Amino acid sequence: MKHIVFLTGAGMSAESGISTFRDSNGLWEQYDVREVASIEGWYRNPDLILKFYNDRRAQLREVEPNEGHKIIAALEKDLQVTVVTQNVDDLHERAGSSRVIHLHGELTKVCNENKTLIYDIGTGVINPGDKAEDGSRLRPFIVWFGETVPLIERAAEIVSTADIVVIIGTSMQVYPAAGLIHYAKGGIPVYLIDPNPVDSSSYLQVEIIREKAGKGMTILREKLYKNGRLF
Ligand code: OAD
């Protein structure tokens, strides 16, 4: 079976009603990223961070996977599919994808200060003062700016075994995630689905599908199943 790897970002979940970060009206226009998504912010104002992620978690109850998530999951019938996502929502899993790597953590999990104890919280809340079993403060299981990305090497290895790579809904501005594409084997098909221009000038071969994730994935599925068979 051919291995298809999806590199997804906030635009993947936009049609489900979750805001992206850097578009106009995106989350980083409403919040100061240094305050709510950095390790320094956590030390400075943990209550603000807890509230920010409690709100994001609560929003998960209101949203559903969109057509794009569903098409990706359905491809597992005919392809080995791995999703490497920068998203912290659980919409890929809820759509049925079975192999999802969350580079920037997961909203539905919480952890202790040094991330050695991880707990499922679903869409629940962390209250100020909540502690992990080791007595340290409970925090969202999120990779903030200023922290390492523990899954990046695994992700790079996965991309290096891909026969097809598809990038969806990421501005490719945040490293190391944005550098993953460079681990792909030379000559494989690379597709980029995004309704807005994204700088892809450094990729060798990329076919751009300038559409939102749902329509873009419908188009990609047609390309993959051209003449009724997968190539
Ligand atoms: P961005 O907000 O930077 O980029 C979102 C991308 O999605 C842009 O290229 C948009 O054009 C595109 N887009 C918008 N609507 C779309 C749709 N309906 N379908 C497809 N694409 C659409 O989000 P990311 O690149 O994911 O990290 O941001 C990367 C990281 O920065 C996030 O994981 C987060 C953030 O700070 C942390 O918080 C640690």
Side-chain angles (χ1 to χ4, degrees):
M1 254 190 191
K2 290 214 166 153
H3 185 199
I4 187 166
V5 175
F6 289 90
L7 302 176
T8 69
M12 183 78 231
S13 298
E15 286 161 279
S16 295
I18 299 181
S19 293
T20 61
F21 297 98
R22 293 175 184 78
D23 289 308
S24 57
N25 272 324
L27 277 175
W28 295 160
E29 270 186 8
Q30 299 162 48
Y31 298 90
D32 183 343
V33 54
R34 288 162 307 181
E35 293 305 322
V36 300
S38 78
I39 187 66
E40 292 83 11
W42 171 245
Y43 294 136
R44 244 190 328 262
N45 193 348
D47 292 2
L48 177 72
I49 289 215
L50 290 183
K51 180 175 173 358
F52 178 75
Y53 288 99
N54 284 341
D55 289 349
R56 307 271 81 71
R57 231 177 274 115
Q59 188 188 28
L60 286 185
R61 286 182 226 129
E62 318 293 327
V63 298
E64 296 291 338
N66 62 54
E67 192 57 19
H69 295 109
K70 290 177 191 165
I71 295 174
I72 292 173
L75 287 175
E76 290 193 13
K77 189 163 60 72
D78 296 307
L79 290 165
Q80 185 192 345
V81 179
T82 310
V83 178
V84 176
T85 188
Q86 295 171 74
N87 297 346
V88 296
D89 65 58
D90 60 353
L91 294 179
H92 280 298
E93 287 90 343
R94 278 159 57 190
S97 283
S98 58
R99 200 159 171 237
V100 184
I101 308 266
H102 287 274
L103 288 174
H104 294 163
E106 292 173 71
L107 273 177
T108 57
K109 293 182 177 162
V110 298
C111 59
N112 61 343
E113 288 271 8
N114 64 14
K115 294 187 164 178
T116 51
L117 299 169
I118 300 164
Y119 309 93
D120 283 320
I121 190 176
T123 57
V125 300
I126 315 181
N127 291 305
D130 283 353
K131 294 206 176 345
E133 281 154 299
D134 65 351
S136 72
R137 288 182 298 187
L138 264 190
R139 54 162 279 180
F141 184 58
I142 300 288
V143 174
W144 288 317
F145 288 102
E147 296 193 295
T148 55
V149 181
L151 292 175
I152 197 71
E153 283 177 16
R154 200 161 131 214
E157 232 175 272
I158 286 165
V159 173
S160 74
T161 68
D163 299 304
I164 307 171
V165 175
V166 186
I167 302 163
I168 307 180
T170 169
S171 61
M172 296 297 234
Q173 288 190 33
V174 175
Y175 282 82
L180 278 174
I181 184 64
H182 299 298
Y183 290 87
K185 285 180 291 204
I188 65 162
V190 176
Y191 298 92
L192 189 153
I193 299 174
D194 200 299
N196 301 307
V198 177
D199 180 15
S200 58
S201 49
S202 68
Y203 314 157
L204 288 177
Q205 259 183 317
V206 60
E207 181 172 338
I208 294 171
I209 301 175
R210 188 148 295 166
E211 297 287 352
K212 294 181 176 176
K215 169 107 186 279
M217 274 309 301
T218 311
I219 293 170
L220 181 71
R221 181 178 53 193
E222 275 163 25
K223 286 177 186 284
L224 294 175
Y225 285 96
K226 206 167 165 186
N227 307 323
R229 67 190 176 89
L230 216 63
F231 69 106

